[in-house]
Amino acid sequence: LQILVTILNENDNSPVFPQPNITRQIPEDTEVDIVIVAREEVTATDADLDTIYYELTTTVQSTDGYFAIRGVNNPEIYLQTALDYDKFNSTTLLLYARDRPVTSPEPTNTTTATITITIKQSDTRAPWFLPCTQLHNDTSVCISSPYSGRVNISEMSTDPLLLEPGPIYAVDPDYTISDRIVYRIVGGNTNKVFSVDADTGNLTMNKIVTSPDSFLLQATQVSNVRKYSVAIVEIKVIPKSNFPPYFEKGVYNGAVFVGLPQRSFVYQAGDPSTPLVITAMDQDFPDV
């Protein structure tokens, strides 16, 4: 008697990843569509010889959509959206391997691989002159106002000039790199009246000045001269002030009436019809 026995394959094995935990460090300026984890590193095997179906998710909020797999049966992980270090610098991905489609009513065995991705900041931005204002919370651009200062006509100053809204200062906004900044004058500066310290940004005079001047100041990264920014410096020339201003009187007496609204006039004491006026004089400007 010949007896034929057919053994049916039972779906009793889960898929197995070659590496359940994978770590990657990638630069911020990685190009879109670049492979992050190769297919062979994340292709699962199944002792039941079932077709494997893959799904990729992220565990970190606001990092969804940056990484993806090539297809439901191709687990190669690639960069789908350009990175921004200021938005996030690391994320954790979960790659699911199933031996049945997600929508299958049959019992399914599932295995998970964890991919930890760390983003390294790249040198993507030029220096920022401070203070500056970001536009619409865009961290890639920061707009600075012109620097302005004053010097006395026909007078030579040996100290660094005081400027508004503050001293000349630029930083590398790629703060984990924080490249050293050097300064130089690249335009204007008629007759080379002014010079700037390459390391500190201090502005000094080389000779006296008789007329207003403005020039362009450049801040450049030491390691990459193509990364630079330009600011405008405006210098006003004013007559020298030898005397402080002074009040015409040492004491001013005024009177107000009860019940008056805000911003009502204060009147001279003893003369309720004449508003109280406080005036100051300056011997440097006798005609003003």
Side-chain angles (χ1 to χ4, degrees):
L1 179 63
Q2 187 179 38
I3 299 174
L4 298 177
V5 178
T6 301
I7 301 175
L8 301 179
N9 188 14
E10 183 75 15
N11 185 20
D12 55 354
N13 292 286
S14 296
V16 177
F17 281 108
Q19 300 179 65
N21 295 285
I22 298 175
T23 300
R24 287 288 184 274
Q25 184 181 73
I26 61 175
E28 176 188 9
D29 56 354
T30 299
E31 295 182 3
V32 171
D33 205 46
I34 289 292
V35 175
I36 305 301
V37 183
R39 180 174 184 173
E40 57 269 19
E41 294 184 77
V42 284
T43 296
T45 57
D46 190 343
D48 299 318
L49 303 180
D50 293 320
T51 300
I52 307 299
Y53 300 87
Y54 299 92
E55 180 187 7
L56 185 69
T57 64
T58 180
T59 63
V60 180
Q61 188 177 7
S62 302
T63 63
D64 189 33
Y66 285 89
F67 302 91
I69 56 176
R70 296 293 183 186
V72 68
N73 300 123
N74 183 352
E76 180 180 86
I77 300 174
Y78 69 99
L79 182 63
Q80 183 174 246
T81 304
L83 298 171
D84 186 341
Y85 185 87
D86 290 325
K87 292 183 178 179
F88 70 97
N89 52 39
S90 65
T91 187
T92 300
L93 307 176
L94 296 180
L95 181 63
Y96 296 93
R98 300 182 176 91
D99 55 13
R100 295 289 186 273
V102 176
T103 57
S104 174
E106 300 179 23
T108 303
N109 295 312
T110 303
T111 300
T112 304
T114 301
I115 299 94
T116 302
I117 295 179
T118 303
I119 300 168
K120 182 179 179 181
Q121 190 173 37
S122 299
D123 190 7
T124 60
R125 294 175 292 189
W128 290 349
F129 280 101
L130 300 181
C132 64
T133 303
Q134 295 180 1
L135 299 179
H136 311 296
N137 295 322
D138 182 0
T139 58
S140 62
V141 178
C142 198
I143 306 299
S144 61
S145 301
Y147 293 97
S148 63
R150 298 183 299 175
V151 296
N152 294 328
I153 191 170
S154 301
E155 182 174 293
M156 177 77 174
S157 174
T158 58
D159 296 325
L161 300 184
L162 299 178
L163 303 176
E164 295 291 340
I168 295 172
Y169 184 59
V171 296
D172 182 359
D174 300 311
Y175 50 86
T176 63
I177 300 173
S178 192
D179 198 0
R180 187 166 68 89
I181 305 297
V182 293
Y183 306 89
R184 65 185 183 127
I185 297 173
V186 294
N189 194 24
T190 305
N191 299 323
K192 300 187 182 301
V193 173
F194 302 98
S195 61
V196 64
D197 187 287
D199 295 318
T200 65
N202 285 338
L203 190 68
T204 54
M205 298 178 65
N206 298 322
K207 59 184 74 172
I208 62 173
V209 58
T210 58
S211 61
D213 199 0
S214 65
F215 50 89
L216 298 179
L217 187 73
Q218 184 186 71
T220 307
Q221 294 180 202
V222 170
S223 64
N224 188 350
V225 295
R226 295 184 178 182
K227 290 288 191 301
Y228 68 88
S229 295
V230 176
I232 298 175
V233 180
E234 300 175 340
I235 302 297
K236 299 178 181 178
V237 180
I238 61 173
K240 183 179 180 180
S241 179
N242 295 309
F243 303 96
Y246 62 92
F247 290 105
E248 289 186 311
K249 297 180 180 180
V251 178
Y252 290 85
N253 296 311
V256 295
F257 298 97
V258 176
L260 289 179
Q262 293 182 359
R263 306 183 69 83
S264 295
F265 282 119
V266 176
Y267 293 93
Q268 293 185 20
D271 187 359
S273 63
T274 303
L276 179 63
V277 178
I278 299 175
T279 56
M281 304 293 291
D282 192 329
Q283 294 182 42
D284 293 306
F285 305 96
D287 299 328
V288 176

